[in-house]
PDB file of all heavy atoms in Angstrom:
ATOM      1  N   SER C 198     -26.805  29.897  30.943  1.00  0.00           N
ATOM      2  CA  SER C 198     -26.037  30.944  31.608  1.00  0.00           C
ATOM      3  C   SER C 198     -26.839  31.631  32.710  1.00  0.00           C
ATOM      4  O   SER C 198     -26.280  32.371  33.514  1.00  0.00           O
ATOM      5  CB  SER C 198     -25.542  31.975  30.588  1.00  0.00           C
ATOM      6  OG  SER C 198     -26.593  32.838  30.217  1.00  0.00           O
ATOM      7  N   LEU C 199     -28.148  31.390  32.773  1.00  0.00           N
ATOM      8  CA  LEU C 199     -28.962  31.946  33.860  1.00  0.00           C
ATOM      9  C   LEU C 199     -29.253  30.915  34.940  1.00  0.00           C
ATOM     10  O   LEU C 199     -29.934  31.211  35.916  1.00  0.00           O
ATOM     11  CB  LEU C 199     -30.292  32.474  33.312  1.00  0.00           C
ATOM     12  CG  LEU C 199     -30.209  33.597  32.281  1.00  0.00           C
ATOM     13  CD1 LEU C 199     -31.607  34.008  31.829  1.00  0.00           C
ATOM     14  CD2 LEU C 199     -29.461  34.801  32.852  1.00  0.00           C
ATOM     15  N   SER C 200     -28.736  29.693  34.767  1.00  0.00           N
ATOM     16  CA  SER C 200     -29.071  28.643  35.717  1.00  0.00           C
ATOM     17  C   SER C 200     -28.377  28.874  37.055  1.00  0.00           C
ATOM     18  O   SER C 200     -27.324  29.489  37.142  1.00  0.00           O
ATOM     19  CB  SER C 200     -28.688  27.277  35.153  1.00  0.00           C
ATOM     20  OG  SER C 200     -27.298  27.113  35.184  1.00  0.00           O
ATOM     21  N   PHE C 201     -29.009  28.384  38.097  1.00  0.00           N
ATOM     22  CA  PHE C 201     -28.473  28.567  39.442  1.00  0.00           C
ATOM     23  C   PHE C 201     -27.027  28.091  39.542  1.00  0.00           C
ATOM     24  O   PHE C 201     -26.173  28.764  40.127  1.00  0.00           O
ATOM     25  CB  PHE C 201     -29.333  27.806  40.454  1.00  0.00           C
ATOM     26  CG  PHE C 201     -28.925  28.046  41.883  1.00  0.00           C
ATOM     27  CD1 PHE C 201     -29.484  29.086  42.608  1.00  0.00           C
ATOM     28  CD2 PHE C 201     -27.964  27.257  42.499  1.00  0.00           C
ATOM     29  CE1 PHE C 201     -29.104  29.325  43.925  1.00  0.00           C
ATOM     30  CE2 PHE C 201     -27.575  27.489  43.812  1.00  0.00           C
ATOM     31  CZ  PHE C 201     -28.142  28.527  44.524  1.00  0.00           C
ATOM     32  N   ALA C 202     -26.752  26.931  38.945  1.00  0.00           N
ATOM     33  CA  ALA C 202     -25.406  26.374  39.057  1.00  0.00           C
ATOM     34  C   ALA C 202     -24.352  27.275  38.423  1.00  0.00           C
ATOM     35  O   ALA C 202     -23.191  27.268  38.831  1.00  0.00           O
ATOM     36  CB  ALA C 202     -25.350  24.977  38.436  1.00  0.00           C
ATOM     37  N   GLU C 203     -24.731  28.060  37.435  1.00  0.00           N
ATOM     38  CA  GLU C 203     -23.776  28.968  36.787  1.00  0.00           C
ATOM     39  C   GLU C 203     -23.710  30.321  37.484  1.00  0.00           C
ATOM     40  O   GLU C 203     -22.649  30.941  37.567  1.00  0.00           O
ATOM     41  CB  GLU C 203     -24.173  29.193  35.313  1.00  0.00           C
ATOM     42  CG  GLU C 203     -24.242  27.938  34.459  1.00  0.00           C
ATOM     43  CD  GLU C 203     -22.884  27.280  34.274  1.00  0.00           C
ATOM     44  OE1 GLU C 203     -21.876  27.992  34.139  1.00  0.00           O
ATOM     45  OE2 GLU C 203     -22.825  26.030  34.276  1.00  0.00           O
ATOM     46  N   VAL C 204     -24.828  30.807  37.956  1.00  0.00           N
ATOM     47  CA  VAL C 204     -24.915  32.167  38.491  1.00  0.00           C
ATOM     48  C   VAL C 204     -24.474  32.239  39.954  1.00  0.00           C
ATOM     49  O   VAL C 204     -23.808  33.182  40.374  1.00  0.00           O
ATOM     50  CB  VAL C 204     -26.362  32.695  38.350  1.00  0.00           C
ATOM     51  CG1 VAL C 204     -26.538  33.991  39.122  1.00  0.00           C
ATOM     52  CG2 VAL C 204     -26.711  32.901  36.876  1.00  0.00           C
ATOM     53  N   SER C 205     -24.850  31.219  40.711  1.00  0.00           N
ATOM     54  CA  SER C 205     -24.520  31.198  42.132  1.00  0.00           C
ATOM     55  C   SER C 205     -22.999  31.211  42.316  1.00  0.00           C
ATOM     56  O   SER C 205     -22.288  30.466  41.651  1.00  0.00           O
ATOM     57  CB  SER C 205     -25.124  29.924  42.728  1.00  0.00           C
ATOM     58  OG  SER C 205     -24.631  29.689  43.996  1.00  0.00           O
ATOM     59  N   GLY C 206     -22.505  32.064  43.190  1.00  0.00           N
ATOM     60  CA  GLY C 206     -21.065  32.152  43.420  1.00  0.00           C
ATOM     61  C   GLY C 206     -20.317  32.782  42.261  1.00  0.00           C
ATOM     62  O   GLY C 206     -19.096  32.747  42.214  1.00  0.00           O
ATOM     63  N   ASN C 207     -21.037  33.359  41.322  1.00  0.00           N
ATOM     64  CA  ASN C 207     -20.403  33.948  40.151  1.00  0.00           C
ATOM     65  C   ASN C 207     -20.741  35.440  40.049  1.00  0.00           C
ATOM     66  O   ASN C 207     -21.583  35.951  40.784  1.00  0.00           O
ATOM     67  CB  ASN C 207     -20.865  33.220  38.888  1.00  0.00           C
ATOM     68  CG  ASN C 207     -19.909  33.403  37.730  1.00  0.00           C
ATOM     69  OD1 ASN C 207     -18.856  34.042  37.870  1.00  0.00           O
ATOM     70  ND2 ASN C 207     -20.258  32.874  36.587  1.00  0.00           N
ATOM     71  N   LEU C 208     -20.100  36.111  39.144  1.00  0.00           N
ATOM     72  CA  LEU C 208     -20.239  37.557  38.973  1.00  0.00           C
ATOM     73  C   LEU C 208     -19.529  37.897  37.682  1.00  0.00           C
ATOM     74  O   LEU C 208     -18.450  37.395  37.412  1.00  0.00           O
ATOM     75  CB  LEU C 208     -19.528  38.253  40.142  1.00  0.00           C
ATOM     76  CG  LEU C 208     -19.182  39.735  40.021  1.00  0.00           C
ATOM     77  CD1 LEU C 208     -20.428  40.576  39.900  1.00  0.00           C
ATOM     78  CD2 LEU C 208     -18.389  40.179  41.242  1.00  0.00           C
ATOM     79  N   LYS C 209     -20.154  38.747  36.845  1.00  0.00           N
ATOM     80  CA  LYS C 209     -19.467  39.105  35.612  1.00  0.00           C
ATOM     81  C   LYS C 209     -19.930  40.456  35.063  1.00  0.00           C
ATOM     82  O   LYS C 209     -21.049  40.892  35.330  1.00  0.00           O
ATOM     83  CB  LYS C 209     -19.681  38.029  34.540  1.00  0.00           C
ATOM     84  CG  LYS C 209     -21.114  37.864  34.082  1.00  0.00           C
ATOM     85  CD  LYS C 209     -21.169  36.825  32.959  1.00  0.00           C
ATOM     86  CE  LYS C 209     -22.612  36.472  32.623  1.00  0.00           C
ATOM     87  NZ  LYS C 209     -22.715  35.335  31.720  1.00  0.00           N
ATOM     88  N   ALA C 210     -19.057  41.091  34.341  1.00  0.00           N
ATOM     89  CA  ALA C 210     -19.438  42.232  33.522  1.00  0.00           C
ATOM     90  C   ALA C 210     -19.979  41.668  32.213  1.00  0.00           C
ATOM     91  O   ALA C 210     -19.579  40.591  31.779  1.00  0.00           O
ATOM     92  CB  ALA C 210     -18.228  43.113  33.246  1.00  0.00           C
ATOM     93  N   TYR C 211     -20.916  42.359  31.583  1.00  0.00           N
ATOM     94  CA  TYR C 211     -21.405  41.889  30.277  1.00  0.00           C
ATOM     95  C   TYR C 211     -21.755  43.103  29.414  1.00  0.00           C
ATOM     96  O   TYR C 211     -21.989  44.178  29.925  1.00  0.00           O
ATOM     97  CB  TYR C 211     -22.608  40.945  30.463  1.00  0.00           C
ATOM     98  CG  TYR C 211     -23.885  41.597  30.905  1.00  0.00           C
ATOM     99  CD1 TYR C 211     -24.927  41.842  30.009  1.00  0.00           C
ATOM    100  CD2 TYR C 211     -24.070  41.980  32.230  1.00  0.00           C
ATOM    101  CE1 TYR C 211     -26.108  42.451  30.419  1.00  0.00           C
ATOM    102  CE2 TYR C 211     -25.246  42.576  32.650  1.00  0.00           C
ATOM    103  CZ  TYR C 211     -26.257  42.810  31.747  1.00  0.00           C
ATOM    104  OH  TYR C 211     -27.425  43.409  32.149  1.00  0.00           O
ATOM    105  N   LYS C 212     -21.799  42.904  28.135  1.00  0.00           N
ATOM    106  CA  LYS C 212     -22.044  44.008  27.203  1.00  0.00           C
ATOM    107  C   LYS C 212     -21.284  45.252  27.649  1.00  0.00           C
ATOM    108  O   LYS C 212     -21.857  46.339  27.780  1.00  0.00           O
ATOM    109  CB  LYS C 212     -23.542  44.317  27.115  1.00  0.00           C
ATOM    110  CG  LYS C 212     -24.374  43.157  26.563  1.00  0.00           C
ATOM    111  CD  LYS C 212     -25.825  43.574  26.321  1.00  0.00           C
ATOM    112  CE  LYS C 212     -26.643  42.387  25.813  1.00  0.00           C
ATOM    113  NZ  LYS C 212     -28.080  42.692  25.732  1.00  0.00           N
ATOM    114  N   VAL C 213     -19.986  45.068  27.870  1.00  0.00           N
ATOM    115  CA  VAL C 213     -19.145  46.128  28.421  1.00  0.00           C
ATOM    116  C   VAL C 213     -19.147  47.360  27.509  1.00  0.00           C
ATOM    117  O   VAL C 213     -18.681  47.300  26.375  1.00  0.00           O
ATOM    118  CB  VAL C 213     -17.705  45.601  28.611  1.00  0.00           C
ATOM    119  CG1 VAL C 213     -16.761  46.721  29.024  1.00  0.00           C
ATOM    120  CG2 VAL C 213     -17.695  44.485  29.656  1.00  0.00           C
ATOM    121  N   HIS C 214     -19.695  48.438  28.037  1.00  0.00           N
ATOM    122  CA  HIS C 214     -19.740  49.701  27.280  1.00  0.00           C
ATOM    123  C   HIS C 214     -20.391  49.496  25.905  1.00  0.00           C
ATOM    124  O   HIS C 214     -20.014  50.125  24.931  1.00  0.00           O
ATOM    125  CB  HIS C 214     -18.299  50.242  27.119  1.00  0.00           C
ATOM    126  CG  HIS C 214     -18.219  51.659  26.644  1.00  0.00           C
ATOM    127  ND1 HIS C 214     -19.182  52.610  26.875  1.00  0.00           N
ATOM    128  CD2 HIS C 214     -17.254  52.316  25.912  1.00  0.00           C
ATOM    129  CE1 HIS C 214     -18.835  53.745  26.319  1.00  0.00           C
ATOM    130  NE2 HIS C 214     -17.683  53.616  25.740  1.00  0.00           N
ATOM    131  N   SER C 215     -21.380  48.603  25.832  1.00  0.00           N
ATOM    132  CA  SER C 215     -22.072  48.363  24.562  1.00  0.00           C
ATOM    133  C   SER C 215     -23.497  47.874  24.812  1.00  0.00           C
ATOM    134  O   SER C 215     -24.071  47.169  23.995  1.00  0.00           O
ATOM    135  CB  SER C 215     -21.299  47.330  23.734  1.00  0.00           C
ATOM    136  OG  SER C 215     -21.265  46.091  24.417  1.00  0.00           O
ATOM    137  N   HIS C 216     -24.066  48.234  25.945  1.00  0.00           N
ATOM    138  CA  HIS C 216     -25.413  47.785  26.300  1.00  0.00           C
ATOM    139  C   HIS C 216     -26.458  48.689  25.630  1.00  0.00           C
ATOM    140  O   HIS C 216     -26.257  49.894  25.520  1.00  0.00           O
ATOM    141  CB  HIS C 216     -25.569  47.807  27.828  1.00  0.00           C
ATOM    142  CG  HIS C 216     -26.822  47.141  28.326  1.00  0.00           C
ATOM    143  ND1 HIS C 216     -28.044  47.755  28.306  1.00  0.00           N
ATOM    144  CD2 HIS C 216     -27.028  45.918  28.869  1.00  0.00           C
ATOM    145  CE1 HIS C 216     -28.957  46.934  28.825  1.00  0.00           C
ATOM    146  NE2 HIS C 216     -28.366  45.805  29.174  1.00  0.00           N
ATOM    147  N   GLN C 217     -27.557  48.093  25.246  1.00  0.00           N
ATOM    148  CA  GLN C 217     -28.589  48.836  24.511  1.00  0.00           C
ATOM    149  C   GLN C 217     -29.268  49.935  25.335  1.00  0.00           C
ATOM    150  O   GLN C 217     -30.013  50.749  24.790  1.00  0.00           O
ATOM    151  CB  GLN C 217     -29.636  47.867  23.936  1.00  0.00           C
ATOM    152  CG  GLN C 217     -30.538  47.169  24.962  1.00  0.00           C
ATOM    153  CD  GLN C 217     -29.915  45.916  25.559  1.00  0.00           C
ATOM    154  OE1 GLN C 217     -28.717  45.634  25.364  1.00  0.00           O
ATOM    155  NE2 GLN C 217     -30.699  45.171  26.309  1.00  0.00           N
ATOM    156  N   HIS C 218     -29.017  49.959  26.641  1.00  0.00           N
ATOM    157  CA  HIS C 218     -29.568  51.065  27.432  1.00  0.00           C
ATOM    158  C   HIS C 218     -28.711  52.326  27.341  1.00  0.00           C
ATOM    159  O   HIS C 218     -29.129  53.390  27.795  1.00  0.00           O
ATOM    160  CB  HIS C 218     -29.741  50.646  28.906  1.00  0.00           C
ATOM    161  CG  HIS C 218     -30.948  49.795  29.157  1.00  0.00           C
ATOM    162  ND1 HIS C 218     -31.215  49.214  30.378  1.00  0.00           N
ATOM    163  CD2 HIS C 218     -31.981  49.432  28.338  1.00  0.00           C
ATOM    164  CE1 HIS C 218     -32.348  48.529  30.294  1.00  0.00           C
ATOM    165  NE2 HIS C 218     -32.827  48.633  29.080  1.00  0.00           N
TER     166      HIS C 218
END
Side-chain angles (χ1 to χ4, degrees):
Chain C
S198 77
L199 299 180
S200 74
F201 185 90
E203 301 294 322
V204 170
S205 168
N207 201 3
L208 163 63
K209 64 177 171 189
Y211 71 103
K212 297 188 182 173
V213 173
H214 193 28
S215 63
H216 190 280
Q217 69 276 10
H218 282 174

